Amino acid sequence: MSVIECAFCKGKGKDPFDLLSKLATCQVCGGKGKVEVIEPAIKCAFCKGTGVYPHDGRVTCTVCNGRGMVTVKGETEGCPECKGTGIAMESGLPCIKCGGKGVVSKR
Ligand SMILES: [Zn+2]
Ligand SMILES: [Zn+2]
Ligand SMILES: [Zn+2]
């Protein structure tokens, strides 16, 4: 487990989009500005590590839950389905094969 800066609020602890109010705390880190990730973790391919859902731009990424990092297990390789982007070609939703991480476990 390691503690990283919250990607969604960039470590500020505030809701970056002022959805509720200017004083609202970040829903991802609960206002702490830091989040815990289970190692080994890689940058989330779907949101490119921003923690923000790419198509909406105001909600948390569903792949990494706003952390910007995702946990991977064991040896991984680039997902052949989405070419490592984490985005399904037709739908624009997280890739079904890799779950939006952009990598799949090596077998
Ligand atoms: Zn945050
Ligand atoms: Zn993400
Ligand atoms: Zn994929």
Side-chain angles (χ1 to χ4, degrees):
M1 191 91 88
S2 66
V3 177
I4 58 164
E5 182 176 278
C6 176
F8 194 63
C9 64
K10 300 187 173 62
K12 292 186 175 71
K14 295 274 187 293
D15 188 322
F17 305 113
D18 301 331
L19 283 189
L20 300 172
S21 85
K22 284 202 185 307
L23 300 172
T25 51
C26 171
Q27 56 190 309
V28 175
C29 58
K32 293 192 293 286
K34 304 255 189 263
V35 288
E36 290 176 342
V37 291
I38 297 163
E39 297 281 1
I42 58 163
K43 194 163 88 173
C44 175
F46 188 62
C47 66
K48 300 186 176 63
T50 60
V52 180
Y53 195 79
H55 308 297
D56 189 306
R58 300 181 71 159
V59 296
T60 53
C61 172
T62 52
V63 176
C64 60
N65 292 319
R67 290 178 174 82
M69 301 283 285
V70 286
T71 304
V72 291
K73 290 207 179 76
E75 292 264 296
T76 56
E77 59 189 358
C79 175
E81 190 76 26
C82 62
K83 310 271 186 294
T85 61
I87 303 168
M89 222 77 94
E90 314 88 67
S91 60
L93 296 170
C95 172
I96 291 164
K97 191 168 175 70
C98 63
K101 295 179 181 181
V103 295
V104 289
S105 296
K106 261 187 192 172
R107 298 192 173 251

